[in-house]
Amino acid sequence: AQTVTQSQPEMSVQEAETVTLSCTYDTSENNYYLFWYKQPPSRQMILVIRQEAYKQQNATENRFSVNFQKAAKSFSLKISDSQLGDTAMYFCAFMATSGTYKYIFGTGTRLKVLA
Amino acid sequence: EAGVAQSPRYKIIEKRQSVAFWCNPISGHATLYWYQQILGQGPKLLIQFQNNGVVDDSQLPKDRFSAERLKGVDSTLKIQPAKLEDSAVYLCASSYLAGGTDTQYFGPGTRLTVL
């Protein structure tokens, strides 16, 4: 069975600084997707970034980038130039491309951006 | 493009009562998911539909939870009778491609409190 671990329950960062959120996962699958989702307070979850396991190049979306280490089963999220609007819960998720394609979520990291 | 709609947004009931939640996915999305998100945890998949068929309901407590997706569009999730431990946010999500290999889009959720 797949598992996703986020070992940082809470983090804080000063506005305009850079922060990295950690995620590790365990799987025997070779083909899968990894995601970071953001859930702002009392608002709905939205996709931040996704990574296909077969791609060696790390995904980037504006200020958000990942460090995908397939051998180490590590998938960290880097947020550059942090903004107050980045304050949210961040969830790492895994999806195998075999079987039912269901997501396995981590327990989340609560990020607070300080002014 | 309209997002995933859910209602009600909030519901308070007493234990042993019944409750139903409604979800309307993004138009054209084949796959629909119901998640349970307990406070402080990541979302847990309850049931996954592809069109109007069930793909995965392995984590659905079938003695009290039921779900249907008539005509492959909107869906209802029911709890009968509710227990205190059912207090959670119930999230609905949908994805475009059959098989769910595309990104999931989440609704705002229904926050259920069982007293």
Side-chain angles (χ1 to χ4, degrees), chain A residues 57-74:
Chain A
Q57 185 172 8
N58 289 323
T60 300
E61 288 288 345
N62 301 315
R63 299 181 295 107
F64 299 89
S65 62
V66 299
N67 183 3
F68 173 48
Q69 302 289 328
K70 190 172 184 179
K73 295 189 174 72
S74 172

Side-chain angles (χ1 to χ4, degrees), chain B residues 69-103:
Chain B
R69 188 183 185 197
L70 299 176
K71 301 180 182 178
V73 183
D74 54 357
S75 175
T76 55
L77 176 69
K78 298 179 181 178
I79 307 175
Q80 182 179 8
K83 293 184 175 182
L84 297 178
E85 58 261 35
D86 298 332
S87 294
V89 175
Y90 290 85
L91 298 170
C92 180
S94 68
S95 65
Y96 177 67
L97 293 176
T101 56
D102 202 355
T103 299

Side-chain angles (χ1 to χ4, degrees), chain A residues 13-64:
Chain A
V13 62
Q14 290 293 137
E15 197 175 7
E17 297 293 307
T18 295
V19 63
T20 299
L21 280 55
S22 300
C23 173
T24 59
Y25 58 95
D26 189 26
T27 185
S28 57
E29 301 280 345
N30 193 47
N31 298 314
Y32 49 88
Y33 290 78
L34 294 162
F35 306 84
W36 279 99
Y37 275 84
K38 169 185 176 182
Q39 189 175 40
S42 300
R43 294 178 62 187
Q44 63 200 78
M45 197 170 320
I46 57 173
L47 178 69
V48 174
I49 199 165
R50 60 183 270 168
Q51 174 82 42
E52 292 89 344
Y54 65 85
K55 290 187 178 178
Q56 293 184 333
Q57 185 172 8
N58 289 323
T60 300
E61 288 288 345
N62 301 315
R63 299 181 295 107
F64 299 89

